[in-house]
Amino acid sequence: MPVHRRLTSWLEQIGRRTIRYPPMGELLVHGHAEGRMPPTHAVLDVVVRVRDVASQDAAMQRAAEACQTVDRAVDEAQRGAQPRVRAAETSSIRAGEDVEYGHDGRRRRVGWVVERATHLECAPDADGLTALVQGLGGDDVTLSGPRWHVASDAPQWDELRTAAVEDALRRASAYARGVDGKVGAVRWIAEPGLRSQVDRAHPVPATVAMR
């Protein structure tokens, strides 16, 4: 988390004497902080995919049965005071031809494919996820995940931000002491990827006395 500081020269008027200090300077400091945070949720993707060489109706029938199995497991996991599944997003069923191309480049149909995808946001409970996965299992069901995530509004992020700023302040103060100066106000703070350059059109004033 870079912390950008600006060092501004100043003039001290003593009677008729003017003491001029070194010119304005800028100091860019990167603060660093690390920590461990428990996941706030897990993501699980469930795909029903059926291939059938006989007919589209047969593929649709098999897919419907697999989708019912998935829906029952998800509905059960969403019940209770502490549901294992917090949110579910399901796409519509898509059906199409299963094709392949021969050595001569000609396209031919070899069957039918029916697909449906479900995106689940789950509680970070390993035992609950294990039970959910067991209920979702099937020959025509493919699972991807779980993938563990930490929500952007988790309070631990703010603790890391504070620690990173404190680290940057320590570094900036050390640099300032090296030139017999003092750190002024912060011009800007940016997290990685959020800001590529300083907004010089609207800077935040910052001053430091240089002795």
Side-chain angles (χ1 to χ4, degrees), residues 15-93:
R16 296 183 178 179
R17 295 181 54 193
T18 298
I19 303 176
R20 184 179 298 275
Y21 289 90
M24 178 180 63
E26 292 182 346
L27 178 63
L28 177 64
V29 181
H30 294 264
H32 181 75
E34 294 183 0
R36 291 195 172 195
M37 293 182 285
T40 56
H41 62 282
V43 171
L44 184 66
D45 290 310
V46 185
V47 177
V48 172
R49 191 173 192 273
V50 174
R51 297 179 62 185
D52 195 288
V53 298
S55 67
Q56 184 177 12
D57 290 341
M60 289 292 292
Q61 179 61 33
R62 283 177 51 195
E65 295 173 357
C67 289
Q68 289 177 358
T69 299
V70 171
D71 292 343
R72 283 195 298 267
V74 172
D75 289 343
E76 178 66 24
Q78 288 182 305
R79 297 174 183 172
Q82 296 181 334
R84 297 192 298 269
V85 174
R86 297 172 177 173
E89 182 178 348
T90 301
S91 67
S92 58
I93 294 179

Side-chain angles (χ1 to χ4, degrees), residues 188-203:
W188 56 266
I189 300 177
E191 295 185 5
L194 297 183
R195 187 168 185 167
S196 59
Q197 61 183 3
V198 183
D199 182 5
R200 299 186 181 276
H202 302 88

Side-chain angles (χ1 to χ4, degrees), residues 126-196:
D127 293 336
L129 283 171
T130 299
L132 175 62
V133 168
Q134 292 174 347
L136 293 171
D139 294 336
D140 297 319
V141 179
T142 301
L143 303 179
S144 176
R147 298 181 297 279
W148 304 97
H149 294 268
V150 178
S152 60
D153 59 351
Q156 292 86 351
W157 285 119
D158 291 341
E159 296 173 3
L160 282 179
R161 292 183 178 102
T162 300
V165 170
E166 291 174 349
D167 180 59
L169 287 171
R170 285 192 296 269
R171 295 168 186 258
S173 298
Y175 281 116
R177 287 194 300 271
V179 294
D180 196 19
K182 293 182 180 179
V183 175
V186 177
R187 289 193 62 194
W188 56 266
I189 300 177
E191 295 185 5
L194 297 183
R195 187 168 185 167
S196 59

